[in-house]
Amino acid sequence: MFRRLTATAALLAAALTPTLAGTASAADAPLRELADARGIYLGTAVTGGKLTGAYADTAAAQFDSVTPGNEMKWGSVEPVRGQYSWTGADRIVDFAEAHGQEVRGHTLVWHSQLPSWVENGTWTPDALRTVMTDHVTTEVSRYKGRVDHWDVVNEPLNEDGTLRRSVFGATLGESYVADAFRAARAADPAAKLYVNDYSTDGIGAKSDGMYALVKRLLAQGVPIDGVGFQAHLILGQVPSTMEANLRRFADLGVDVAITELDIRMTLPATEAKLARQKADYAAVTRACLAVTRCAGLTVWGFTDSDSWIPDFFPGEGAATPYDENLSPKPARAGIAEALAPGTPPGPAGCTAAYTVQSQWGGGFTGQVTVRNTGTAPLTGWRVVWEYPAGQRIAQAWNATVAQTGTAVTATNLPYNGTVPAGGSVTFGFNASWAGSNPPPTVLGCG
Ligand code: XIL
């Protein structure tokens, strides 16, 4: 994948009027156009069986890449040795071609969703190697020229960065990774070949292990083109080192991509959590934009009605940019605003710090400092937080503050919306409390 620069950027820039976030009217443009104008693709995982009606329309209109959520996995395509079933995968590839979308093939060699004949077989190293490379060759050949990126090997590492003892790792050691990539390259020399994993999004033991693995593979001449970062994230926990992490991999001479982004929260979703999620989605998008070799970003399902999170993380959900009724959430606007022409890449532009200045029986005075941590001036700001113990705002200064239930939203006044890079603005308020006065549980700035 190379960066595509089109005239769209200039057209969009001309059409936009500066507003609160500097870019609010970009929210109306299809995400795929915004992404294209910034030289990245914007993808989504899809479920083939749902590709009709409004689900299909949104997937086609907003995204320029699709990843089959399950349909290309080993257990789906080769449930019985040598017997392939392509119906589900074909459907998605056909859909992509009908809508001018790229395809991320996911995934060829993975320890999960394997057919039991592979997972529970008794293998000599040679037999397993042959079975694996046959599988890779057959699947990649089938879609030769039609799949742009392949997640060749998925989740090869343990949390500490060592090789996972999957059936492949345990039987073949690290050599299986190299063999899978070689088979894929031979079957489709034009496809971009990726290794993909989770919890490698920021710098840490696991991403250090991935970094070392990719370095070794490159040193051995293994045909690897890119590293995928799944980015199954938790609300408020976008790693601060994400951009630096992507960059260090790119500096090895490979592409990088965000491949399975979702940002989960404890249910129920509230206005404050959704606002925080918006800032988190924007931060991840900006991290990709900041790294020239970041080829694109894929969300793992674009609607909450098609997300794996509630099934795998009980009590959590609302992790995607569209709600269950296919209405856009603030997260979608976060992506759009980060992609809008003129939005500087890099870390999100603001942080908020909350303090209680003084407190008395039943009342307190609070203060919030908004700091511009970005590289461009803020042209308006909004701080959201959530009170855990029934506190209620009575009166505010230097901001307009509104409260709905536990959720508080503060926006700038005309005279303090512009904050230079590195600068800060403070506003205050009086509020009531009863019983206890703990700090906000969620606090975000955007
Ligand atoms: C998930 C799918 O979304 C679910 O439908 C399925 O039941 C389990 O797998 N990392 C991956 C993806 O690489 O393939 C997983 O997809 C999510 C975690």
Side-chain angles (χ1 to χ4, degrees):
M1 169 62 58
F2 52 90
R3 302 220 140 206
R4 298 152 294 173
L5 287 176
T6 69
T8 325
L11 288 173
L12 278 166
L16 292 175
T17 36
T19 55
L20 178 65
T23 52
S25 38
D28 299 332
L31 294 176
R32 61 185 285 176
E33 278 179 26
L34 295 170
D36 185 45
R38 297 295 291 263
I40 65 170
Y41 66 82
L42 189 75
T44 180
V46 292
T47 299
K50 295 185 179 172
L51 281 172
T52 57
Y55 178 95
D57 293 346
T58 306
Q62 300 293 331
F63 299 92
D64 58 358
S65 170
V66 289
T67 305
N70 289 297
E71 293 81 349
M72 285 184 166
K73 291 171 181 174
W74 198 328
S76 300
V77 300
E78 196 189 5
V80 177
R81 185 170 188 169
Q83 287 183 26
Y84 285 85
S85 155
W86 303 112
T87 320
D90 281 354
R91 180 168 188 174
I92 293 172
V93 175
D94 290 346
F95 181 86
E97 287 176 353
H99 297 98
Q101 296 169 310
E102 296 188 343
V103 178
R104 266 202 92 84
H106 176 81
T107 176
L108 299 167
V109 183
W110 186 28
H111 66 275
S112 187
Q113 294 181 273
L114 276 175
S116 68
W117 67 269
V118 176
E119 191 165 5
N120 303 320
T122 310
W123 300 107
T124 63
D126 280 350
L128 185 62
R129 198 181 303 277
T130 301
V131 157
M132 181 193 75
T133 52
D134 282 354
H135 173 76
V136 170
T137 302
T138 305
E139 184 157 1
V140 176
S141 302
R142 163 108 191 159
Y143 295 107
K144 184 177 178 188
R146 303 178 74 198
V147 167
D148 303 272
H149 310 91
W150 272 110
D151 289 332
V152 177
V153 173
N154 197 31
E155 303 180 355
L157 300 181
N158 294 314
E159 292 310 286
D160 65 359
T162 59
L163 189 73
R164 186 192 285 272
R165 308 311 279 175
S166 65
V167 62
F168 307 106
T171 312
L172 299 168
E174 193 176 295
S175 69
Y176 89 84
V177 178
D179 288 332
F181 275 87
R182 291 196 176 102
R185 176 70 95 228
D188 185 353
K192 296 286 188 196
L193 306 181
Y194 279 65
V195 61
N196 192 50
D197 215 324
Y198 64 91
S199 296
T200 50
D201 314 305
I203 293 175
K206 190 169 183 181
S207 65
D208 286 351
M210 180 62 90
Y211 185 79
L213 171 64
V214 172
K215 245 179 143 166
R216 283 195 297 278
L217 293 170
L218 290 169
Q220 292 160 25
V222 174
I224 176 170
D225 300 305
V227 182
F229 300 82
Q230 292 186 5
H232 293 295
L233 301 177
I234 297 170
L235 189 73
Q237 296 183 27
V238 177
S240 58
T241 53
M242 191 168 207
E243 179 187 326
N245 193 41
L246 297 178
R247 184 166 286 116
R248 71 171 171 157
F249 281 88
D251 287 347
L252 289 176
V254 290
D255 291 341
V256 294
I258 308 292
T259 52
E260 304 184 14
L261 176 62
D262 50 25
I263 302 178
R264 61 187 185 267
M265 61 183 72
T266 304
L267 296 172
T270 62
E271 205 185 328
K273 289 181 198 172
L274 293 172
R276 176 73 229 204
Q277 188 185 47
K278 173 185 176 182
D280 289 349
Y281 265 94
V284 174
T285 307
R286 288 178 186 211
C288 177
L289 288 173
V291 177
T292 310
R293 290 199 76 144
C294 185
L297 183 159
T298 296
V299 294
W300 203 245
F302 65 90
T303 152
D304 291 339
S305 66
D306 191 33
S307 168
W308 71 307
I309 294 296
D311 292 337
F312 284 76
F313 300 90
E316 299 181 67
T320 80
Y322 286 77
D323 72 13
E324 307 226 336
N325 303 313
L326 294 178
S327 295
K329 293 161 58 183
R332 192 234 176 247
I335 298 172
E337 288 173 15
L339 289 174
T343 302
C350 84
T351 58
Y354 175 103
T355 52
V356 172
Q357 300 293 103
S358 63
Q359 183 169 309
W360 58 93
F364 68 102
T365 298
Q367 183 172 293
V368 175
T369 298
V370 178
R371 186 167 297 283
N372 180 357
T373 55
T375 47
L378 286 176
T379 55
W381 45 262
R382 197 164 80 115
V383 179
V384 292
W385 68 90
E386 186 142 313
Y387 275 132
Q391 297 103 316
R392 290 217 59 91
I393 306 278
Q395 166 206 16
W397 48 94
N398 296 336
T400 302
V401 179
Q403 182 167 4
T404 312
T406 56
V408 180
T409 302
T411 44
N412 64 278
L413 292 171
Y415 60 82
N416 65 3
T418 302
V419 186
S424 64
V425 164
T426 296
F427 65 90
F429 55 88
N430 286 329
S432 63
W433 65 285
S436 66
N437 185 18
T441 44
V442 184
L443 177 64
C445 181

